[in-house]
Amino acid sequence: DGSHLFRDLLDQFYSVGPYILASTYFYQSYYNAHLVESLAQLREQLQIVISMGEYFDHSLYGISHTIEAISRGYPLLTRNPDKKLSISNKETPVFIVGNGPSLDDCIDAIKASQGKAIVVSCGTALMTLYKNDIIPDFHAEIEQNRSTFDWVSRIGDFEFLQQVSLISCNGIHPDTCRLFKDVFIAFKAGESSTIASLNLFGSENYEELEYAFPTVSNFALNLFTAMGFNQIYLLGVDLGFAEKNKHHSVQSGYYGNDGKEIYDYNERNNTSFVVPGNFQQTVFTKHEFKVSKDILEQTLSSTSIDCFNCSNGARINGAMPLKVDDILLVNPDNSALEVLETIKNRVFIPISNHETCITRFFSKFRQELLSTEFDNLIALINEPVTSIEDINALIEKQKNLVFQSYGSGSSLLFYLLFGSMNYCNVMLSKCEFIRDEKASLTYAEQLLKRWVAFLERANFAGLNLRSSMDTAASLAGDRQRKYLKLFNRKTLYVTNLHQD
């Protein structure tokens, strides 16, 4: 009936090489209602696999940032975290606060519940809470690039940030971590940085979150369900828009002080998808939010918790619609405070002797071997390609070289290159469909020239792993300089902006 179709096919794709997805076609030879639905779901699930796949920069920054977090001694989510909490601890309500437009209608309920519920702000919701004098118990981020530092810094009140605890996935940018009072890290399943780290530190010691993507709300729900909390409220987790020009809280960084958008959100995002609404028949959404909704539903289907959706956005199967005015908490005032301390002291534990662990990491994953393997791969690609058969053989040789590196367990080549190499192999696999062999070989020659140039840059970055952190900035120069003063250090500020 197609119920195992996705998992079975995915195993095959990874056995052969995910690049083969680009040449995969579906043909249903006869009508079967169950199979029609399963194939439709399969297409969506494979789109998620493709869109969520890692590439070199993501892997590089993820590993570099994770190593830095471990070297700083940040506590990590331990294995079976639900066993660290008592039954009464788990009955504490948890408010997961997103930055959807309905957040503006939830402020009073959040204020009234502080001390009774654990309040978790997600991403850009933090500014809205700040403007309403709400200090969340946790702030959650998942993006590994430096934009989280810029967006959090837009609040401009660093004393406020120093009252907030950050929870995040491994790979969070180290600069973002410094903004907060303390930091707690969970491993995200499937990430190169997770697999490489736990290969060394022991997967039996640390929990891996299976559903912590694509949005920070997914991470927060996955984390607190993993800890065993059984009463979770979603506020401002809209994942959809009743009105297209109201896409986030108007008090958040997406809007200016005049209440107008700082940029045209709908122009930059395809918000034409229509999904069932939580409190109305339908709402608009975009692809990323639709994926987020599907993953939230998978998270809830794997648990038996009570989850209440108080957001005026997309309907989330498994979460009971509940008007924010109907929230009723019966636990005592300030009962959540003791639970917070239990979470911080028992559920998250730092790696002992973390500096020694970093030394072990680079003893296992040797930089000189990584450089040698990059050289071997580049030499392989520089071999003459004179036919379509040579191109197909190169695809196989590249895949085998990277898998041999993984099998040796002594290099980071596989972790860094697997995603980008699959993309290159997708492009190479299309050569045989070009109009003639001469055109195919010309195309392959141009592609491989770019691929070699990329690998040479990647080799340099891999050899300088500890300093290979994301440095992108998303704010104007004056504002960026202002925020950098927070660290009280001499700063060399480099920009490619031209002055008038």
Side-chain angles (χ1 to χ4, degrees):
D1 63 359
S3 58
H4 299 287
L5 188 58
F6 172 66
R7 180 53 54 190
D8 289 345
L9 274 179
L10 198 61
D11 289 343
Q12 284 297 310
F13 285 134
Y14 278 105
S15 175
V16 176
Y19 66 87
I20 204 170
L21 272 169
S23 302
T24 299
Y25 301 86
F26 296 99
Y27 174 71
Q28 188 174 347
S29 57
Y30 64 93
Y31 179 79
N32 178 301
H34 290 294
L35 203 55
V36 168
E37 183 179 354
S38 294
L39 283 173
Q41 291 177 351
L42 176 65
R43 288 190 178 95
E44 287 198 1
Q45 289 167 325
L46 290 177
Q47 285 179 346
I48 293 173
V49 170
I50 295 169
S51 63
M52 292 288 103
E54 284 193 282
Y55 48 92
F56 175 79
D57 287 345
H58 186 274
S59 300
L60 177 75
Y61 296 144
I63 295 172
S64 177
H65 297 172
T66 298
I67 290 171
E68 179 63 22
I70 292 172
S71 71
R72 293 182 184 181
Y74 293 148
L76 305 174
L77 182 66
T78 57
R79 191 73 168 176
N80 300 319
D82 57 315
K83 295 182 179 179
K84 309 293 193 303
L85 298 173
S86 67
I87 294 176
S88 61
N89 288 158
K90 298 173 189 176
E91 291 175 350
T92 304
V94 178
F95 283 11
I96 295 178
V97 182
N99 192 32
S102 69
L103 173 58
D104 296 322
D105 299 322
C106 300
I107 297 300
D108 289 341
I110 296 171
K111 280 186 173 181
S113 302
Q114 283 195 283
K116 284 189 170 185
I118 297 172
V119 177
V120 185
S121 71
C122 294
T124 53
L126 185 61
M127 180 178 285
T128 303
L129 299 186
Y130 168 72
K131 288 181 177 180
N132 288 278
D133 299 319
I134 297 173
I135 301 175
D137 300 303
F138 290 110
H139 176 64
E141 295 281 359
I142 61 167
E143 299 293 342
Q144 67 173 209
N145 58 52
R146 201 172 178 274
S147 65
T148 54
F149 173 86
D150 294 339
W151 277 84
V152 171
S153 296
R154 290 188 70 192
I155 290 173
D157 186 342
F158 298 108
E159 291 183 1
F160 167 79
L161 296 176
Q162 286 296 311
Q163 301 176 69
V164 181
S165 298
L166 176 69
I167 51 174
S168 187
C169 297
N170 58 304
I172 183 69
H173 201 287
D175 287 355
T176 303
C177 296
R178 287 195 185 277
L179 295 171
F180 294 91
K181 176 175 68 174
D182 44 20
V183 181
F184 302 90
I185 302 292
F187 283 107
K188 183 179 175 185
E191 300 275 295
S192 291
S193 54
T194 296
I195 299 169
S197 299
L198 295 187
N199 189 315
L200 182 63
F201 304 132
S203 58
E204 69 279 4
N205 298 318
Y206 301 98
E207 191 75 10
E208 297 179 59
L209 300 182
E210 297 281 347
Y211 304 108
F213 67 93
T215 72
V216 65
S217 299
N218 293 94
F219 162 70
L221 180 65
N222 194 181
L223 175 61
F224 281 90
T225 54
M227 286 192 279
F229 286 92
N230 53 39
Q231 189 181 159
I232 295 180
Y233 296 78
L234 306 178
L235 299 97
V237 185
D238 293 11
L239 303 178
F241 330 108
E243 302 175 50
K244 282 193 174 183
N245 64 333
K246 293 182 179 179
H247 42 79
H248 290 85
S249 164
V250 295
Q251 300 179 70
S252 69
Y254 285 91
Y255 296 84
N257 293 330
D258 57 1
K260 295 182 180 179
E261 297 176 286
I262 61 173
Y263 67 90
D264 192 329
Y265 187 85
N266 289 315
E267 183 179 328
R268 297 194 191 181
N269 297 274
N270 179 7
T271 58
S272 60
F273 292 91
V274 177
V275 295
N278 194 40
F279 295 128
Q280 58 190 68
Q281 188 171 0
T282 60
V283 294
F284 295 103
T285 191
K286 61 178 184 174
H287 176 69
E288 295 89 341
F289 284 173
K290 187 175 184 299
V291 172
S292 175
K293 172 181 123 62
D294 293 342
I295 302 299
L296 287 173
E297 292 173 346
Q298 290 183 41
T299 307
L300 293 172
S301 68
S302 65
T303 68
S304 58
I305 67 167
D306 291 325
C307 183
F308 303 96
N309 187 0
C310 307
S311 314
N312 186 22
R315 181 193 305 160
I316 299 171
N317 295 327
M320 183 182 301
L322 180 71
K323 294 286 187 178
V324 68
D325 293 337
D326 294 332
I327 295 176
L328 178 63
L329 306 185
V330 296
N331 53 312
D333 291 342
N334 298 321
S335 58
L337 302 181
E338 182 181 344
V339 181
L340 286 170
E341 291 306 309
T342 303
I343 292 172
K344 293 180 179 181
N345 295 320
R346 296 194 60 199
V347 176
F348 291 86
I349 304 294
I351 293 178
S352 58
N353 301 319
H354 41 268
E355 280 299 341
T356 302
C357 288
I358 300 303
T359 302
R360 286 174 52 210
F361 185 91
F362 285 105
S363 295
K364 177 176 176 59
F365 299 113
R366 304 198 310 274
Q367 299 293 80
E368 67 276 9
L369 178 58
L370 176 65
S371 182
T372 299
E373 290 178 337
F374 264 111
D375 291 342
N376 292 340
L377 180 58
I378 291 172
L380 176 67
I381 297 166
N382 282 330
E383 292 178 1
V385 174
T386 59
S387 66
I388 295 295
E389 289 74 18
D390 288 345
I391 295 173
N392 291 330
L394 177 60
I395 292 173
E396 193 68 17
K397 288 177 182 178
Q398 285 197 99
K399 185 188 78 171
N400 290 339
L401 189 151
V402 171
F403 272 101
Q404 285 171 8
S405 173
Y406 177 76
S408 74
S410 300
S411 164
L412 288 170
L413 186 76
F414 174 87
Y415 302 102
L416 293 172
L417 272 192
F418 183 66
S420 293
M421 186 202 67
N422 277 312
Y423 180 74
C424 176
N425 283 343
V426 165
M427 305 298 287
L428 288 173
S429 71
K430 294 298 182 182
C431 287
E432 59 183 307
F433 301 109
I434 298 177
R435 60 183 182 274
D436 57 62
E437 186 171 71
K438 182 178 179 181
S440 296
L441 293 174
T442 300
Y443 167 85
E445 180 182 355
Q446 294 172 344
L447 172 64
L448 292 174
K449 184 177 180 180
R450 293 190 178 191
W451 181 228
V452 167
F454 163 77
L455 290 175
E456 289 172 344
R457 296 193 302 272
N459 187 10
F460 178 82
L463 290 178
N464 295 275
L465 188 65
R466 289 208 70 172
S467 59
S468 294
M469 298 182 187
D470 181 40
T471 57
S474 58
L475 300 177
D478 288 342
R479 178 178 284 165
Q480 189 76 352
R481 282 192 290 270
K482 171 185 172 184
Y483 296 147
L484 286 171
K485 289 179 181 179
L486 170 70
F487 298 106
N488 295 318
R489 62 177 68 162
K490 292 182 179 179
T491 303
L492 173 65
Y493 185 79
V494 181
T495 177
N496 60 357
L497 299 176
H498 296 288
Q499 292 184 343
D500 295 331

